[in-house]
Amino acid sequence: MRTKLVAGNWKMNGSLASIRELIKGIQAGMGSVGSAGVIVCPPAIYIAEVSKLVEGSNISVGSQNIGDQDSGAYTGEISGAMLKEYGCEYAIVGHSERRSIYGETDEMVANRYAAARRNGLKPILCVGELLEEREQGITEEVVGRQIDAVISLEGVESLADAVIAYEPVWAIGTGKTASPEQAQDVHKFIRDKIAALNADVAANLVIQYGGSVKGSNAQELFGMPDIDGGLIGGAALQADDFLAICQAAG
Ligand code: 13P
C-alpha cells in the first residue's frame, strides 16, 4: 500500500524569518492533513534550523541536492553524511533546474542518487521532458533514459527506498499544469517500466507529480491511480497553499 507523499521544494527562496513563519504555519495545520506524508526541502543553509523547528512533528526534511562524493576537495558541495547529521531524511536529485541551468547529466544525477543511498538518505529522483521533447513525441524515451541511468548504476531494487518525481519541465513555474490524464500516462509508463524488472518495487514506488500544483488542481491530480502525491515549488512557500495540497493528498 502506497501512502501519498507531498514535498515542498523551496528552491532558493526565503530568509531565516520567513522560513520560521512558514514552518510555524505548516505545523499549525498538520492536524488536518490526514495520512499524507509531508516533507520540506529548504535551501541547504536553512536545513539545520528547519530540522530543529520540526523536531517531534510529522514533517520530514529533505535537501535540494547532494554531493556525489563523501568528503574531500569538492568546493561548494555538501555530503550525504552532513545532510544526515542535520536531520535530512530525503535528498532531491536531478531536479530539472540542476539539469538545465547547472548542466547535471543523467550520469551525474545517478552518482548523486547513489551518494544519497550510501548515506542512508532516500533519493527523490526528478525526471521529466522539455516542451520540445513532448512536441517531438519522445517524452517516454527521455524519462526512460533518465530512469535507466539510475537503474544501471544502482539496480532496480534501489528504487525500493526512493521516490520518483515526474516533473514535465514545461509545467514548472509556468502555471501550465499537465492535465491529470497527461500526468497519469507518464506515471503509468514509469510504473510499468519498473514493473517489467521488479513488480513489487513498482507496486510500492511513490511517484510524485510536480509542475504548477496548487490547492485547486491537487485533488484531481492525486486522484489518478499512479499519482502518489506531489513535489511542490511555488505553492510550497505559503503555509495555507501548501496545506491545501497536503490535505488533498491526505
Ligand atoms: P512549481 O510548483 O513552482 O511549478 O515548481 C515545481 C517544482 O519544480 C518542484 O520541484
Side-chain angles (χ1 to χ4, degrees):
M1 231 333 246
R2 307 188 293 267
T3 25
K4 297 254 193 297
L5 199 55
V6 178
N9 173 11
W10 296 353
K11 308 193 180 184
M12 197 175 71
N13 292 297
S15 64
L16 204 43
S18 74
I19 60 154
R20 284 178 178 150
E21 275 306 296
L22 180 51
I23 289 294
K24 213 192 316 169
I26 297 171
Q27 271 171 328
M30 279 300 284
S32 63
V33 308
S35 60
V38 176
I39 308 168
V40 292
C41 303
I45 197 159
Y46 298 131
I47 284 172
E49 176 71 11
V50 168
S51 288
K52 240 188 290 171
L53 293 171
V54 301
E55 222 173 77
S57 75
N58 289 330
I59 303 170
S60 301
V61 179
S63 61
Q64 297 177 14
N65 205 355
I66 177 171
D68 62 335
Q69 305 292 323
D70 288 338
S71 69
Y74 302 102
T75 302
E77 294 290 291
I78 300 175
S79 77
M82 295 169 187
L83 295 170
K84 183 104 187 160
E85 192 173 20
Y86 277 95
C88 282
E89 193 182 327
Y90 294 87
I92 296 174
V93 297
H95 191 278
S96 69
E97 287 147 20
R98 300 300 317 172
R99 293 178 190 264
S100 66
I101 306 173
Y102 299 101
E104 291 189 19
T105 61
D106 290 344
E107 194 191 359
M108 288 159 78
V109 171
N111 287 331
R112 293 183 191 275
Y113 173 99
R117 298 193 60 245
R118 198 161 66 233
N119 288 285
L121 293 156
K122 295 176 199 147
I124 301 177
L125 171 67
C126 298
V127 298
E129 81 288 1
L130 304 169
L131 181 59
E132 57 260 37
E133 292 168 334
R134 172 159 287 264
E135 285 169 352
Q136 284 165 40
I138 57 169
T139 296
E140 293 186 357
E141 195 182 303
V142 171
V143 169
R145 192 196 65 219
Q146 291 168 336
I147 294 172
D148 282 339
V150 155
I151 292 179
S152 60
L153 187 68
E154 290 286 281
V156 71
E157 285 73 26
S158 73
L159 289 165
D161 299 309
V163 172
I164 289 183
Y166 168 59
E167 299 204 310
V169 180
W170 48 272
I172 295 178
T174 58
K176 270 190 225 158
T177 324
S179 70
E181 293 74 22
Q182 276 175 323
Q184 166 60 23
D185 283 350
V186 182
H187 282 235
K188 183 174 182 336
F189 161 75
I190 293 171
R191 202 178 304 284
D192 288 350
K193 175 182 171 63
I194 292 161
L197 301 169
N198 187 317
D200 279 352
V201 169
N204 291 312
L205 178 67
V206 169
I207 308 177
Q208 297 174 320
Y209 169 79
S212 299
V213 179
K214 304 181 275 280
S216 55
N217 59 23
Q219 198 146 14
E220 232 192 330
L221 285 159
F222 300 164
M224 302 308 278
D226 289 297
I227 302 185
D228 309 313
L231 183 55
I232 319 302
L237 297 171
Q238 296 292 335
D240 289 351
D241 295 343
F242 186 60
L243 284 165
I245 296 168
C246 295
Q247 281 158 10

